[in-house]
Amino acid sequence: MSEAASIAREMTPEQRELARHALGLPNRNNRSYRNRFVTGPGGADYDHWLAMVDAGFAQRRAGKTLPFGGDDLFWLTTAGAMAAKRRNEGLDKENFPNGNKKGAQS
């Protein structure tokens, strides 16, 4: 079993949907076009994002350190994006320079 397949089984369905939303998937180009999600304590998705950070699927920057303040900023690691995307989808080279190309095995 490939590393990406192993990782994908560790991400919950809720986490996968949040990760796909952060990537802007699905879309007609079958390629991610962003990599960000903003949420904070008390949000229905906040604990899912914290769990993805703990699992190595995402990284976090605390809202209090951001110029606009407020909620935390989350983004996916390459491993998290690979676990979230589908086989026929690709990752934007700007956000994931070492990511999988569209159509490649994941």
Side-chain angles (χ1 to χ4, degrees), residues 14-43:
E14 294 85 0
Q15 291 170 347
R16 182 176 291 208
E17 286 306 310
L18 290 168
R20 291 179 59 72
H21 179 77
L23 295 170
L25 294 171
N27 62 57
R28 70 179 187 198
N29 295 321
N30 288 329
R31 180 168 301 283
S32 67
Y33 65 88
R34 64 182 181 215
N35 183 17
R36 65 186 176 280
F37 197 96
V38 176
T39 187

PDB file of all heavy atoms in Angstrom, residues 14-43:
ATOM      1  N   GLU A  14     -15.290  13.791   7.478  1.00  0.00           N
ATOM      2  CA  GLU A  14     -15.496  15.216   7.749  1.00  0.00           C
ATOM      3  C   GLU A  14     -14.228  16.013   7.454  1.00  0.00           C
ATOM      4  O   GLU A  14     -14.280  17.085   6.849  1.00  0.00           O
ATOM      5  CB  GLU A  14     -15.911  15.442   9.214  1.00  0.00           C
ATOM      6  CG  GLU A  14     -17.259  14.872   9.576  1.00  0.00           C
ATOM      7  CD  GLU A  14     -17.217  13.390   9.974  1.00  0.00           C
ATOM      8  OE1 GLU A  14     -16.119  12.764   9.971  1.00  0.00           O
ATOM      9  OE2 GLU A  14     -18.282  12.845  10.283  1.00  0.00           O
ATOM     10  N   GLN A  15     -13.087  15.469   7.866  1.00  0.00           N
ATOM     11  CA  GLN A  15     -11.818  16.140   7.605  1.00  0.00           C
ATOM     12  C   GLN A  15     -11.539  16.212   6.104  1.00  0.00           C
ATOM     13  O   GLN A  15     -11.074  17.234   5.602  1.00  0.00           O
ATOM     14  CB  GLN A  15     -10.678  15.417   8.320  1.00  0.00           C
ATOM     15  CG  GLN A  15     -10.732  15.555   9.819  1.00  0.00           C
ATOM     16  CD  GLN A  15      -9.752  14.637  10.516  1.00  0.00           C
ATOM     17  OE1 GLN A  15      -9.181  13.716   9.925  1.00  0.00           O
ATOM     18  NE2 GLN A  15      -9.556  14.868  11.805  1.00  0.00           N
ATOM     19  N   ARG A  16     -11.831  15.141   5.410  1.00  0.00           N
ATOM     20  CA  ARG A  16     -11.613  15.130   3.957  1.00  0.00           C
ATOM     21  C   ARG A  16     -12.444  16.208   3.278  1.00  0.00           C
ATOM     22  O   ARG A  16     -11.953  16.920   2.403  1.00  0.00           O
ATOM     23  CB  ARG A  16     -11.943  13.765   3.377  1.00  0.00           C
ATOM     24  CG  ARG A  16     -11.677  13.713   1.868  1.00  0.00           C
ATOM     25  CD  ARG A  16     -11.908  12.344   1.346  1.00  0.00           C
ATOM     26  NE  ARG A  16     -10.840  11.519   1.893  1.00  0.00           N
ATOM     27  CZ  ARG A  16     -10.363  10.448   1.312  1.00  0.00           C
ATOM     28  NH1 ARG A  16     -10.860  10.047   0.176  1.00  0.00           N
ATOM     29  NH2 ARG A  16      -9.414   9.749   1.855  1.00  0.00           N
ATOM     30  N   GLU A  17     -13.704  16.353   3.656  1.00  0.00           N
ATOM     31  CA  GLU A  17     -14.556  17.382   3.050  1.00  0.00           C
ATOM     32  C   GLU A  17     -14.042  18.791   3.371  1.00  0.00           C
ATOM     33  O   GLU A  17     -14.045  19.664   2.499  1.00  0.00           O
ATOM     34  CB  GLU A  17     -16.014  17.223   3.488  1.00  0.00           C
ATOM     35  CG  GLU A  17     -16.708  16.065   2.821  1.00  0.00           C
ATOM     36  CD  GLU A  17     -16.619  16.113   1.298  1.00  0.00           C
ATOM     37  OE1 GLU A  17     -16.931  17.167   0.696  1.00  0.00           O
ATOM     38  OE2 GLU A  17     -16.224  15.093   0.698  1.00  0.00           O
ATOM     39  N   LEU A  18     -13.601  19.017   4.601  1.00  0.00           N
ATOM     40  CA  LEU A  18     -13.032  20.320   4.961  1.00  0.00           C
ATOM     41  C   LEU A  18     -11.750  20.586   4.171  1.00  0.00           C
ATOM     42  O   LEU A  18     -11.525  21.706   3.688  1.00  0.00           O
ATOM     43  CB  LEU A  18     -12.748  20.381   6.463  1.00  0.00           C
ATOM     44  CG  LEU A  18     -13.981  20.424   7.360  1.00  0.00           C
ATOM     45  CD1 LEU A  18     -13.590  20.193   8.817  1.00  0.00           C
ATOM     46  CD2 LEU A  18     -14.709  21.764   7.194  1.00  0.00           C
ATOM     47  N   ALA A  19     -10.923  19.574   4.021  1.00  0.00           N
ATOM     48  CA  ALA A  19      -9.684  19.718   3.261  1.00  0.00           C
ATOM     49  C   ALA A  19      -9.977  20.016   1.794  1.00  0.00           C
ATOM     50  O   ALA A  19      -9.335  20.881   1.181  1.00  0.00           O
ATOM     51  CB  ALA A  19      -8.836  18.448   3.394  1.00  0.00           C
ATOM     52  N   ARG A  20     -10.944  19.326   1.229  1.00  0.00           N
ATOM     53  CA  ARG A  20     -11.318  19.572  -0.170  1.00  0.00           C
ATOM     54  C   ARG A  20     -11.850  20.986  -0.347  1.00  0.00           C
ATOM     55  O   ARG A  20     -11.539  21.663  -1.333  1.00  0.00           O
ATOM     56  CB  ARG A  20     -12.333  18.532  -0.645  1.00  0.00           C
ATOM     57  CG  ARG A  20     -11.727  17.127  -0.769  1.00  0.00           C
ATOM     58  CD  ARG A  20     -12.726  16.086  -1.220  1.00  0.00           C
ATOM     59  NE  ARG A  20     -13.325  16.403  -2.510  1.00  0.00           N
ATOM     60  CZ  ARG A  20     -12.691  16.330  -3.680  1.00  0.00           C
ATOM     61  NH1 ARG A  20     -11.431  15.952  -3.739  1.00  0.00           N
ATOM     62  NH2 ARG A  20     -13.322  16.619  -4.801  1.00  0.00           N
ATOM     63  N   HIS A  21     -12.610  21.464   0.617  1.00  0.00           N
ATOM     64  CA  HIS A  21     -13.101  22.842   0.559  1.00  0.00           C
ATOM     65  C   HIS A  21     -11.930  23.827   0.596  1.00  0.00           C
ATOM     66  O   HIS A  21     -11.902  24.807  -0.156  1.00  0.00           O
ATOM     67  CB  HIS A  21     -14.069  23.113   1.714  1.00  0.00           C
ATOM     68  CG  HIS A  21     -14.589  24.502   1.733  1.00  0.00           C
ATOM     69  ND1 HIS A  21     -15.579  24.935   0.880  1.00  0.00           N
ATOM     70  CD2 HIS A  21     -14.241  25.573   2.487  1.00  0.00           C
ATOM     71  CE1 HIS A  21     -15.825  26.212   1.116  1.00  0.00           C
ATOM     72  NE2 HIS A  21     -15.022  26.621   2.087  1.00  0.00           N
ATOM     73  N   ALA A  22     -10.946  23.574   1.461  1.00  0.00           N
ATOM     74  CA  ALA A  22      -9.770  24.441   1.560  1.00  0.00           C
ATOM     75  C   ALA A  22      -9.015  24.491   0.229  1.00  0.00           C
ATOM     76  O   ALA A  22      -8.409  25.520  -0.104  1.00  0.00           O
ATOM     77  CB  ALA A  22      -8.846  23.959   2.676  1.00  0.00           C
ATOM     78  N   LEU A  23      -9.034  23.401  -0.517  1.00  0.00           N
ATOM     79  CA  LEU A  23      -8.347  23.325  -1.809  1.00  0.00           C
ATOM     80  C   LEU A  23      -9.177  23.875  -2.969  1.00  0.00           C
ATOM     81  O   LEU A  23      -8.672  24.017  -4.083  1.00  0.00           O
ATOM     82  CB  LEU A  23      -7.978  21.867  -2.119  1.00  0.00           C
ATOM     83  CG  LEU A  23      -6.965  21.228  -1.188  1.00  0.00           C
ATOM     84  CD1 LEU A  23      -6.872  19.734  -1.462  1.00  0.00           C
ATOM     85  CD2 LEU A  23      -5.609  21.902  -1.313  1.00  0.00           C
ATOM     86  N   GLY A  24     -10.457  24.147  -2.717  1.00  0.00           N
ATOM     87  CA  GLY A  24     -11.335  24.617  -3.792  1.00  0.00           C
ATOM     88  C   GLY A  24     -11.829  23.497  -4.685  1.00  0.00           C
ATOM     89  O   GLY A  24     -12.181  23.723  -5.842  1.00  0.00           O
ATOM     90  N   LEU A  25     -11.876  22.304  -4.145  1.00  0.00           N
ATOM     91  CA  LEU A  25     -12.347  21.137  -4.894  1.00  0.00           C
ATOM     92  C   LEU A  25     -13.741  20.741  -4.433  1.00  0.00           C
ATOM     93  O   LEU A  25     -14.044  20.901  -3.257  1.00  0.00           O
ATOM     94  CB  LEU A  25     -11.383  19.956  -4.685  1.00  0.00           C
ATOM     95  CG  LEU A  25      -9.989  20.136  -5.246  1.00  0.00           C
ATOM     96  CD1 LEU A  25      -9.081  19.002  -4.776  1.00  0.00           C
ATOM     97  CD2 LEU A  25      -9.998  20.214  -6.765  1.00  0.00           C
ATOM     98  N   PRO A  26     -14.582  20.243  -5.320  1.00  0.00           N
ATOM     99  CA  PRO A  26     -14.346  19.999  -6.732  1.00  0.00           C
ATOM    100  C   PRO A  26     -14.527  21.281  -7.547  1.00  0.00           C
ATOM    101  O   PRO A  26     -15.177  22.233  -7.105  1.00  0.00           O
ATOM    102  CB  PRO A  26     -15.420  18.975  -7.096  1.00  0.00           C
ATOM    103  CG  PRO A  26     -16.560  19.305  -6.194  1.00  0.00           C
ATOM    104  CD  PRO A  26     -15.914  19.795  -4.908  1.00  0.00           C
ATOM    105  N   ASN A  27     -13.970  21.281  -8.751  1.00  0.00           N
ATOM    106  CA  ASN A  27     -14.190  22.354  -9.707  1.00  0.00           C
ATOM    107  C   ASN A  27     -14.015  21.790 -11.112  1.00  0.00           C
ATOM    108  O   ASN A  27     -13.564  20.665 -11.278  1.00  0.00           O
ATOM    109  CB  ASN A  27     -13.258  23.545  -9.441  1.00  0.00           C
ATOM    110  CG  ASN A  27     -11.798  23.188  -9.577  1.00  0.00           C
ATOM    111  OD1 ASN A  27     -11.351  22.713 -10.620  1.00  0.00           O
ATOM    112  ND2 ASN A  27     -11.028  23.419  -8.516  1.00  0.00           N
ATOM    113  N   ARG A  28     -14.388  22.556 -12.111  1.00  0.00           N
ATOM    114  CA  ARG A  28     -14.389  22.029 -13.483  1.00  0.00           C
ATOM    115  C   ARG A  28     -12.996  21.730 -14.027  1.00  0.00           C
ATOM    116  O   ARG A  28     -12.859  20.978 -14.977  1.00  0.00           O
ATOM    117  CB  ARG A  28     -15.156  22.956 -14.417  1.00  0.00           C
ATOM    118  CG  ARG A  28     -14.476  24.254 -14.687  1.00  0.00           C
ATOM    119  CD  ARG A  28     -15.285  25.083 -15.641  1.00  0.00           C
ATOM    120  NE  ARG A  28     -14.511  26.253 -16.007  1.00  0.00           N
ATOM    121  CZ  ARG A  28     -15.017  27.320 -16.525  1.00  0.00           C
ATOM    122  NH1 ARG A  28     -16.318  27.391 -16.741  1.00  0.00           N
ATOM    123  NH2 ARG A  28     -14.252  28.326 -16.829  1.00  0.00           N
ATOM    124  N   ASN A  29     -11.966  22.313 -13.425  1.00  0.00           N
ATOM    125  CA  ASN A  29     -10.595  22.053 -13.882  1.00  0.00           C
ATOM    126  C   ASN A  29      -9.947  20.848 -13.192  1.00  0.00           C
ATOM    127  O   ASN A  29      -8.835  20.461 -13.545  1.00  0.00           O
ATOM    128  CB  ASN A  29      -9.723  23.286 -13.670  1.00  0.00           C
ATOM    129  CG  ASN A  29     -10.176  24.448 -14.511  1.00  0.00           C
ATOM    130  OD1 ASN A  29     -10.561  24.280 -15.657  1.00  0.00           O
ATOM    131  ND2 ASN A  29     -10.149  25.636 -13.945  1.00  0.00           N
ATOM    132  N   ASN A  30     -10.616  20.289 -12.191  1.00  0.00           N
ATOM    133  CA  ASN A  30     -10.075  19.153 -11.433  1.00  0.00           C
ATOM    134  C   ASN A  30      -8.677  19.440 -10.890  1.00  0.00           C
ATOM    135  O   ASN A  30      -7.813  18.569 -10.884  1.00  0.00           O
ATOM    136  CB  ASN A  30     -10.059  17.866 -12.271  1.00  0.00           C
ATOM    137  CG  ASN A  30     -11.445  17.311 -12.470  1.00  0.00           C
ATOM    138  OD1 ASN A  30     -12.317  17.468 -11.631  1.00  0.00           O
ATOM    139  ND2 ASN A  30     -11.648  16.674 -13.596  1.00  0.00           N
ATOM    140  N   ARG A  31      -8.464  20.669 -10.445  1.00  0.00           N
ATOM    141  CA  ARG A  31      -7.170  21.083  -9.889  1.00  0.00           C
ATOM    142  C   ARG A  31      -7.425  22.080  -8.761  1.00  0.00           C
ATOM    143  O   ARG A  31      -8.274  22.942  -8.864  1.00  0.00           O
ATOM    144  CB  ARG A  31      -6.325  21.734 -10.968  1.00  0.00           C
ATOM    145  CG  ARG A  31      -4.959  22.185 -10.471  1.00  0.00           C
ATOM    146  CD  ARG A  31      -4.019  22.553 -11.581  1.00  0.00           C
ATOM    147  NE  ARG A  31      -3.762  21.469 -12.513  1.00  0.00           N
ATOM    148  CZ  ARG A  31      -2.946  20.444 -12.282  1.00  0.00           C
ATOM    149  NH1 ARG A  31      -2.309  20.347 -11.149  1.00  0.00           N
ATOM    150  NH2 ARG A  31      -2.765  19.510 -13.191  1.00  0.00           N
ATOM    151  N   SER A  32      -6.661  21.923  -7.674  1.00  0.00           N
ATOM    152  CA  SER A  32      -6.797  22.866  -6.564  1.00  0.00           C
ATOM    153  C   SER A  32      -6.404  24.267  -7.026  1.00  0.00           C
ATOM    154  O   SER A  32      -5.605  24.413  -7.961  1.00  0.00           O
ATOM    155  CB  SER A  32      -5.916  22.432  -5.386  1.00  0.00           C
ATOM    156  OG  SER A  32      -4.542  22.544  -5.712  1.00  0.00           O
ATOM    157  N   TYR A  33      -6.987  25.290  -6.410  1.00  0.00           N
ATOM    158  CA  TYR A  33      -6.600  26.656  -6.754  1.00  0.00           C
ATOM    159  C   TYR A  33      -6.375  27.523  -5.524  1.00  0.00           C
ATOM    160  O   TYR A  33      -6.119  28.718  -5.624  1.00  0.00           O
ATOM    161  CB  TYR A  33      -7.630  27.301  -7.694  1.00  0.00           C
ATOM    162  CG  TYR A  33      -8.997  27.505  -7.086  1.00  0.00           C
ATOM    163  CD1 TYR A  33      -9.312  28.669  -6.387  1.00  0.00           C
ATOM    164  CD2 TYR A  33      -9.976  26.536  -7.230  1.00  0.00           C
ATOM    165  CE1 TYR A  33     -10.570  28.851  -5.836  1.00  0.00           C
ATOM    166  CE2 TYR A  33     -11.231  26.717  -6.694  1.00  0.00           C
ATOM    167  CZ  TYR A  33     -11.527  27.879  -6.007  1.00  0.00           C
ATOM    168  OH  TYR A  33     -12.779  28.057  -5.461  1.00  0.00           O
ATOM    169  N   ARG A  34      -6.447  26.923  -4.362  1.00  0.00           N
ATOM    170  CA  ARG A  34      -6.168  27.628  -3.114  1.00  0.00           C
ATOM    171  C   ARG A  34      -5.741  26.605  -2.078  1.00  0.00           C
ATOM    172  O   ARG A  34      -5.781  25.408  -2.326  1.00  0.00           O
ATOM    173  CB  ARG A  34      -7.383  28.430  -2.643  1.00  0.00           C
ATOM    174  CG  ARG A  34      -8.575  27.546  -2.291  1.00  0.00           C
ATOM    175  CD  ARG A  34      -9.778  28.347  -1.866  1.00  0.00           C
ATOM    176  NE  ARG A  34     -10.858  27.431  -1.534  1.00  0.00           N
ATOM    177  CZ  ARG A  34     -12.122  27.664  -1.761  1.00  0.00           C
ATOM    178  NH1 ARG A  34     -12.500  28.787  -2.316  1.00  0.00           N
ATOM    179  NH2 ARG A  34     -13.032  26.779  -1.414  1.00  0.00           N
ATOM    180  N   ASN A  35      -5.350  27.101  -0.909  1.00  0.00           N
ATOM    181  CA  ASN A  35      -4.985  26.208   0.188  1.00  0.00           C
ATOM    182  C   ASN A  35      -5.098  26.986   1.488  1.00  0.00           C
ATOM    183  O   ASN A  35      -4.092  27.405   2.061  1.00  0.00           O
ATOM    184  CB  ASN A  35      -3.569  25.659   0.002  1.00  0.00           C
ATOM    185  CG  ASN A  35      -3.191  24.666   1.086  1.00  0.00           C
ATOM    186  OD1 ASN A  35      -4.052  24.141   1.786  1.00  0.00           O
ATOM    187  ND2 ASN A  35      -1.915  24.408   1.235  1.00  0.00           N
ATOM    188  N   ARG A  36      -6.334  27.197   1.924  1.00  0.00           N
ATOM    189  CA  ARG A  36      -6.543  27.937   3.166  1.00  0.00           C
ATOM    190  C   ARG A  36      -7.950  27.695   3.702  1.00  0.00           C
ATOM    191  O   ARG A  36      -8.873  27.409   2.953  1.00  0.00           O
ATOM    192  CB  ARG A  36      -6.313  29.423   2.945  1.00  0.00           C
ATOM    193  CG  ARG A  36      -7.316  30.044   2.001  1.00  0.00           C
ATOM    194  CD  ARG A  36      -6.988  31.492   1.682  1.00  0.00           C
ATOM    195  NE  ARG A  36      -7.899  32.032   0.707  1.00  0.00           N
ATOM    196  CZ  ARG A  36      -7.839  31.845  -0.607  1.00  0.00           C
ATOM    197  NH1 ARG A  36      -6.888  31.091  -1.116  1.00  0.00           N
ATOM    198  NH2 ARG A  36      -8.714  32.388  -1.412  1.00  0.00           N
ATOM    199  N   PHE A  37      -8.047  27.830   5.019  1.00  0.00           N
ATOM    200  CA  PHE A  37      -9.336  27.716   5.697  1.00  0.00           C
ATOM    201  C   PHE A  37      -9.225  28.502   6.986  1.00  0.00           C
ATOM    202  O   PHE A  37      -8.256  28.351   7.721  1.00  0.00           O
ATOM    203  CB  PHE A  37      -9.644  26.244   6.005  1.00  0.00           C
ATOM    204  CG  PHE A  37     -11.082  25.984   6.331  1.00  0.00           C
ATOM    205  CD1 PHE A  37     -11.962  25.544   5.371  1.00  0.00           C
ATOM    206  CD2 PHE A  37     -11.557  26.177   7.624  1.00  0.00           C
ATOM    207  CE1 PHE A  37     -13.289  25.288   5.677  1.00  0.00           C
ATOM    208  CE2 PHE A  37     -12.878  25.926   7.939  1.00  0.00           C
ATOM    209  CZ  PHE A  37     -13.750  25.482   6.955  1.00  0.00           C
ATOM    210  N   VAL A  38     -10.198  29.356   7.253  1.00  0.00           N
ATOM    211  CA  VAL A  38     -10.190  30.182   8.460  1.00  0.00           C
ATOM    212  C   VAL A  38     -11.351  29.750   9.350  1.00  0.00           C
ATOM    213  O   VAL A  38     -12.495  29.681   8.899  1.00  0.00           O
ATOM    214  CB  VAL A  38     -10.311  31.681   8.105  1.00  0.00           C
ATOM    215  CG1 VAL A  38     -10.394  32.534   9.359  1.00  0.00           C
ATOM    216  CG2 VAL A  38      -9.146  32.124   7.234  1.00  0.00           C
ATOM    217  N   THR A  39     -11.033  29.458  10.598  1.00  0.00           N
ATOM    218  CA  THR A  39     -12.046  29.088  11.580  1.00  0.00           C
ATOM    219  C   THR A  39     -11.467  29.332  12.973  1.00  0.00           C
ATOM    220  O   THR A  39     -10.267  29.523  13.128  1.00  0.00           O
ATOM    221  CB  THR A  39     -12.504  27.620  11.421  1.00  0.00           C
ATOM    222  OG1 THR A  39     -13.600  27.375  12.304  1.00  0.00           O
ATOM    223  CG2 THR A  39     -11.394  26.639  11.688  1.00  0.00           C
ATOM    224  N   GLY A  40     -12.328  29.347  13.949  1.00  0.00           N
ATOM    225  CA  GLY A  40     -11.861  29.606  15.300  1.00  0.00           C
ATOM    226  C   GLY A  40     -12.577  28.765  16.334  1.00  0.00           C
ATOM    227  O   GLY A  40     -13.512  28.016  16.017  1.00  0.00           O
ATOM    228  N   PRO A  41     -12.138  28.890  17.592  1.00  0.00           N
ATOM    229  CA  PRO A  41     -12.761  28.132  18.682  1.00  0.00           C
ATOM    230  C   PRO A  41     -14.274  28.355  18.693  1.00  0.00           C
ATOM    231  O   PRO A  41     -14.752  29.465  18.489  1.00  0.00           O
ATOM    232  CB  PRO A  41     -12.112  28.713  19.936  1.00  0.00           C
ATOM    233  CG  PRO A  41     -10.811  29.275  19.467  1.00  0.00           C
ATOM    234  CD  PRO A  41     -11.068  29.768  18.066  1.00  0.00           C
ATOM    235  N   GLY A  42     -14.990  27.272  18.877  1.00  0.00           N
ATOM    236  CA  GLY A  42     -16.445  27.345  18.878  1.00  0.00           C
ATOM    237  C   GLY A  42     -17.046  27.019  17.521  1.00  0.00           C
ATOM    238  O   GLY A  42     -18.234  26.719  17.427  1.00  0.00           O
ATOM    239  N   GLY A  43     -16.235  27.062  16.472  1.00  0.00           N
ATOM    240  CA  GLY A  43     -16.720  26.708  15.146  1.00  0.00           C
ATOM    241  C   GLY A  43     -16.882  25.194  15.031  1.00  0.00           C
ATOM    242  O   GLY A  43     -16.097  24.436  15.611  1.00  0.00           O
TER     243      GLY A  43
END
